[in-house]
PDB file of all heavy atoms in Angstrom:
ATOM      1  N   LEU A  31      -4.691  36.742   4.107  1.00 95.00           N
ATOM      2  CA  LEU A  31      -3.858  37.139   2.970  1.00 95.00           C
ATOM      3  C   LEU A  31      -4.519  37.998   1.986  1.00 95.00           C
ATOM      4  O   LEU A  31      -4.048  39.054   1.398  1.00 95.00           O
ATOM      5  CB  LEU A  31      -3.169  35.957   2.400  1.00 95.00           C
ATOM      6  CG  LEU A  31      -2.237  35.184   3.276  1.00 95.00           C
ATOM      7  CD1 LEU A  31      -1.773  33.924   2.516  1.00 95.00           C
ATOM      8  CD2 LEU A  31      -0.997  36.082   3.692  1.00 95.00           C
ATOM      9  N   ILE A  36      -5.856  43.464  -0.455  1.00 94.00           N
ATOM     10  CA  ILE A  36      -6.782  44.515  -0.748  1.00 94.00           C
ATOM     11  C   ILE A  36      -6.376  45.835  -0.096  1.00 94.00           C
ATOM     12  O   ILE A  36      -6.381  46.902  -0.757  1.00 94.00           O
ATOM     13  CB  ILE A  36      -8.278  44.152  -0.274  1.00 94.00           C
ATOM     14  CG1 ILE A  36      -8.752  42.857  -1.062  1.00 94.00           C
ATOM     15  CG2 ILE A  36      -9.162  45.311  -0.459  1.00 94.00           C
ATOM     16  CD1 ILE A  36     -10.111  42.390  -0.599  1.00 94.00           C
ATOM     17  N   THR A  85      -8.349  16.396 -15.067  1.00 96.00           N
ATOM     18  CA  THR A  85      -9.601  17.050 -15.272  1.00 96.00           C
ATOM     19  C   THR A  85      -9.951  18.112 -14.186  1.00 96.00           C
ATOM     20  O   THR A  85     -10.390  19.266 -14.420  1.00 96.00           O
ATOM     21  CB  THR A  85     -10.756  16.109 -15.377  1.00 96.00           C
ATOM     22  OG1 THR A  85     -10.597  15.146 -16.458  1.00 96.00           O
ATOM     23  CG2 THR A  85     -12.181  16.777 -15.572  1.00 96.00           C
ATOM     24  N   PHE A  92      -9.219  26.692 -15.319  1.00 97.00           N
ATOM     25  CA  PHE A  92      -9.981  27.389 -16.362  1.00 97.00           C
ATOM     26  C   PHE A  92     -10.914  28.346 -15.786  1.00 97.00           C
ATOM     27  O   PHE A  92     -11.294  29.374 -16.222  1.00 97.00           O
ATOM     28  CB  PHE A  92     -10.737  26.450 -17.345  1.00 97.00           C
ATOM     29  CG  PHE A  92     -11.417  26.953 -18.413  1.00 97.00           C
ATOM     30  CD1 PHE A  92     -10.840  27.799 -19.380  1.00 97.00           C
ATOM     31  CD2 PHE A  92     -12.749  26.703 -18.619  1.00 97.00           C
ATOM     32  CE1 PHE A  92     -11.418  28.281 -20.465  1.00 97.00           C
ATOM     33  CE2 PHE A  92     -13.499  27.272 -19.754  1.00 97.00           C
ATOM     34  CZ  PHE A  92     -12.844  28.068 -20.665  1.00 97.00           C
ATOM     35  N   LEU A 103     -11.396  42.160 -19.528  1.00 93.00           N
ATOM     36  CA  LEU A 103     -12.091  42.662 -20.710  1.00 93.00           C
ATOM     37  C   LEU A 103     -13.191  43.563 -20.291  1.00 93.00           C
ATOM     38  O   LEU A 103     -13.581  44.540 -21.154  1.00 93.00           O
ATOM     39  CB  LEU A 103     -12.624  41.507 -21.543  1.00 93.00           C
ATOM     40  CG  LEU A 103     -11.615  40.506 -22.064  1.00 93.00           C
ATOM     41  CD1 LEU A 103     -12.386  39.507 -23.075  1.00 93.00           C
ATOM     42  CD2 LEU A 103     -10.476  41.223 -22.865  1.00 93.00           C
ATOM     43  N   LEU A 159       0.483  23.131 -13.767  1.00 95.00           N
ATOM     44  CA  LEU A 159       1.576  22.399 -13.431  1.00 95.00           C
ATOM     45  C   LEU A 159       1.449  21.454 -12.387  1.00 95.00           C
ATOM     46  O   LEU A 159       2.239  20.405 -12.168  1.00 95.00           O
ATOM     47  CB  LEU A 159       2.724  23.423 -12.946  1.00 95.00           C
ATOM     48  CG  LEU A 159       3.445  24.264 -13.975  1.00 95.00           C
ATOM     49  CD1 LEU A 159       4.385  25.188 -13.375  1.00 95.00           C
ATOM     50  CD2 LEU A 159       4.064  23.530 -15.187  1.00 95.00           C
ATOM     51  N   SER A 174      13.954  15.711  -4.983  1.00 94.00           N
ATOM     52  CA  SER A 174      14.290  15.926  -6.339  1.00 94.00           C
ATOM     53  C   SER A 174      13.537  16.892  -7.164  1.00 94.00           C
ATOM     54  O   SER A 174      14.028  17.771  -7.889  1.00 94.00           O
ATOM     55  CB  SER A 174      14.211  14.434  -7.243  1.00 94.00           C
ATOM     56  OG  SER A 174      15.116  13.521  -6.566  1.00 94.00           O
ATOM     57  N   ALA A 201       6.929  46.655 -27.072  1.00 84.00           N
ATOM     58  CA  ALA A 201       7.474  46.993 -25.758  1.00 84.00           C
ATOM     59  C   ALA A 201       6.437  47.417 -24.681  1.00 84.00           C
ATOM     60  O   ALA A 201       6.636  47.313 -23.463  1.00 84.00           O
ATOM     61  CB  ALA A 201       8.438  48.218 -25.817  1.00 84.00           C
ATOM     62  N   GLY A 220       5.213  24.678  -1.321  1.00 95.00           N
ATOM     63  CA  GLY A 220       3.988  24.377  -0.545  1.00 95.00           C
ATOM     64  C   GLY A 220       3.379  22.989  -0.907  1.00 95.00           C
ATOM     65  O   GLY A 220       2.904  22.226  -0.112  1.00 95.00           O
ATOM     66  N   ASP A 231       8.705  18.197  10.059  1.00 78.00           N
ATOM     67  CA  ASP A 231       8.294  17.803  11.443  1.00 78.00           C
ATOM     68  C   ASP A 231       9.535  17.594  12.194  1.00 78.00           C
ATOM     69  O   ASP A 231       9.677  17.936  13.388  1.00 78.00           O
ATOM     70  CB  ASP A 231       7.375  16.554  11.437  1.00 78.00           C
ATOM     71  CG  ASP A 231       6.078  16.984  10.874  1.00 78.00           C
ATOM     72  OD1 ASP A 231       5.686  18.087  10.762  1.00 78.00           O
ATOM     73  OD2 ASP A 231       5.433  15.983  10.374  1.00 78.00           O
ATOM     74  N   ASN A 236      13.666  20.062  16.655  1.00 84.00           N
ATOM     75  CA  ASN A 236      14.955  20.563  17.185  1.00 84.00           C
ATOM     76  C   ASN A 236      14.817  21.989  17.610  1.00 84.00           C
ATOM     77  O   ASN A 236      14.679  22.912  16.841  1.00 84.00           O
ATOM     78  CB  ASN A 236      15.986  20.375  16.087  1.00 84.00           C
ATOM     79  CG  ASN A 236      17.383  20.633  16.659  1.00 84.00           C
ATOM     80  OD1 ASN A 236      17.599  21.545  17.428  1.00 84.00           O
ATOM     81  ND2 ASN A 236      18.380  19.837  16.165  1.00 84.00           N
ATOM     82  N   VAL A 245      15.727  33.838  15.411  1.00 95.00           N
ATOM     83  CA  VAL A 245      16.681  34.861  15.349  1.00 95.00           C
ATOM     84  C   VAL A 245      16.716  35.432  13.896  1.00 95.00           C
ATOM     85  O   VAL A 245      16.892  36.770  13.783  1.00 95.00           O
ATOM     86  CB  VAL A 245      18.089  34.353  15.819  1.00 95.00           C
ATOM     87  CG1 VAL A 245      19.189  35.412  15.479  1.00 95.00           C
ATOM     88  CG2 VAL A 245      17.969  33.996  17.377  1.00 95.00           C
ATOM     89  N   PRO A 272      13.881  37.442  -5.161  1.00 93.00           N
ATOM     90  CA  PRO A 272      15.225  37.308  -4.876  1.00 93.00           C
ATOM     91  C   PRO A 272      15.476  36.504  -3.553  1.00 93.00           C
ATOM     92  O   PRO A 272      14.603  36.314  -2.820  1.00 93.00           O
ATOM     93  CB  PRO A 272      15.675  38.658  -4.757  1.00 93.00           C
ATOM     94  CG  PRO A 272      14.443  39.503  -4.400  1.00 93.00           C
ATOM     95  CD  PRO A 272      13.388  38.803  -5.059  1.00 93.00           C
ATOM     96  N   PRO A 294      -6.236  24.542  17.431  1.00 87.00           N
ATOM     97  CA  PRO A 294      -7.097  23.491  16.952  1.00 87.00           C
ATOM     98  C   PRO A 294      -7.531  23.621  15.440  1.00 87.00           C
ATOM     99  O   PRO A 294      -7.648  24.837  14.924  1.00 87.00           O
ATOM    100  CB  PRO A 294      -8.397  23.609  17.886  1.00 87.00           C
ATOM    101  CG  PRO A 294      -7.832  24.359  19.058  1.00 87.00           C
ATOM    102  CD  PRO A 294      -6.761  25.264  18.528  1.00 87.00           C
ATOM    103  N   VAL A 299     -11.744  32.485  12.089  1.00 90.00           N
ATOM    104  CA  VAL A 299     -12.191  33.795  12.395  1.00 90.00           C
ATOM    105  C   VAL A 299     -13.331  33.900  11.357  1.00 90.00           C
ATOM    106  O   VAL A 299     -13.021  34.051  10.118  1.00 90.00           O
ATOM    107  CB  VAL A 299     -11.088  34.909  12.164  1.00 90.00           C
ATOM    108  CG1 VAL A 299     -11.703  36.305  12.424  1.00 90.00           C
ATOM    109  CG2 VAL A 299      -9.881  34.609  13.171  1.00 90.00           C
ATOM    110  N   PHE A 334      -7.368  64.607   1.570  1.00 87.00           N
ATOM    111  CA  PHE A 334      -7.401  64.129   2.843  1.00 87.00           C
ATOM    112  C   PHE A 334      -6.024  63.196   3.260  1.00 87.00           C
ATOM    113  O   PHE A 334      -6.036  62.782   4.394  1.00 87.00           O
ATOM    114  CB  PHE A 334      -8.578  63.243   3.218  1.00 87.00           C
ATOM    115  CG  PHE A 334      -9.906  64.047   2.938  1.00 87.00           C
ATOM    116  CD1 PHE A 334     -10.648  63.661   1.840  1.00 87.00           C
ATOM    117  CD2 PHE A 334     -10.339  65.004   3.812  1.00 87.00           C
ATOM    118  CE1 PHE A 334     -11.863  64.476   1.517  1.00 87.00           C
ATOM    119  CE2 PHE A 334     -11.512  65.683   3.595  1.00 87.00           C
ATOM    120  CZ  PHE A 334     -12.273  65.403   2.449  1.00 87.00           C
ATOM    121  N   LEU A 366     -32.195  26.156  -0.730  1.00 68.00           N
ATOM    122  CA  LEU A 366     -32.945  25.567   0.354  1.00 68.00           C
ATOM    123  C   LEU A 366     -34.524  25.629   0.094  1.00 68.00           C
ATOM    124  O   LEU A 366     -35.221  24.539   0.336  1.00 68.00           O
ATOM    125  CB  LEU A 366     -32.619  26.106   1.681  1.00 68.00           C
ATOM    126  CG  LEU A 366     -31.160  25.903   2.131  1.00 68.00           C
ATOM    127  CD1 LEU A 366     -30.855  26.586   3.497  1.00 68.00           C
ATOM    128  CD2 LEU A 366     -30.936  24.333   2.343  1.00 68.00           C
ATOM    129  N   ASP A 373     -39.330  18.853  -1.982  1.00 56.00           N
ATOM    130  CA  ASP A 373     -39.836  17.782  -1.086  1.00 56.00           C
ATOM    131  C   ASP A 373     -41.303  17.786  -0.708  1.00 56.00           C
ATOM    132  O   ASP A 373     -41.891  16.674  -0.668  1.00 56.00           O
ATOM    133  CB  ASP A 373     -39.107  17.892   0.291  1.00 56.00           C
ATOM    134  CG  ASP A 373     -37.539  17.601   0.010  1.00 56.00           C
ATOM    135  OD1 ASP A 373     -37.187  17.001  -0.897  1.00 56.00           O
ATOM    136  OD2 ASP A 373     -36.766  18.085   0.850  1.00 56.00           O
ATOM    137  N   GLY A 375     -43.635  18.795  -2.751  1.00 58.00           N
ATOM    138  CA  GLY A 375     -44.335  18.348  -3.939  1.00 58.00           C
ATOM    139  C   GLY A 375     -44.317  16.819  -4.143  1.00 58.00           C
ATOM    140  O   GLY A 375     -45.232  16.198  -4.609  1.00 58.00           O
TER     141      GLY A 375
END
Side-chain angles (χ1 to χ4, degrees):
L31 294 173
I36 294 174
T85 301
F92 188 55
L103 297 186
L159 292 175
S174 299
D231 295 336
N236 189 318
V245 169
V299 180
F334 304 104
L366 291 175
D373 291 341

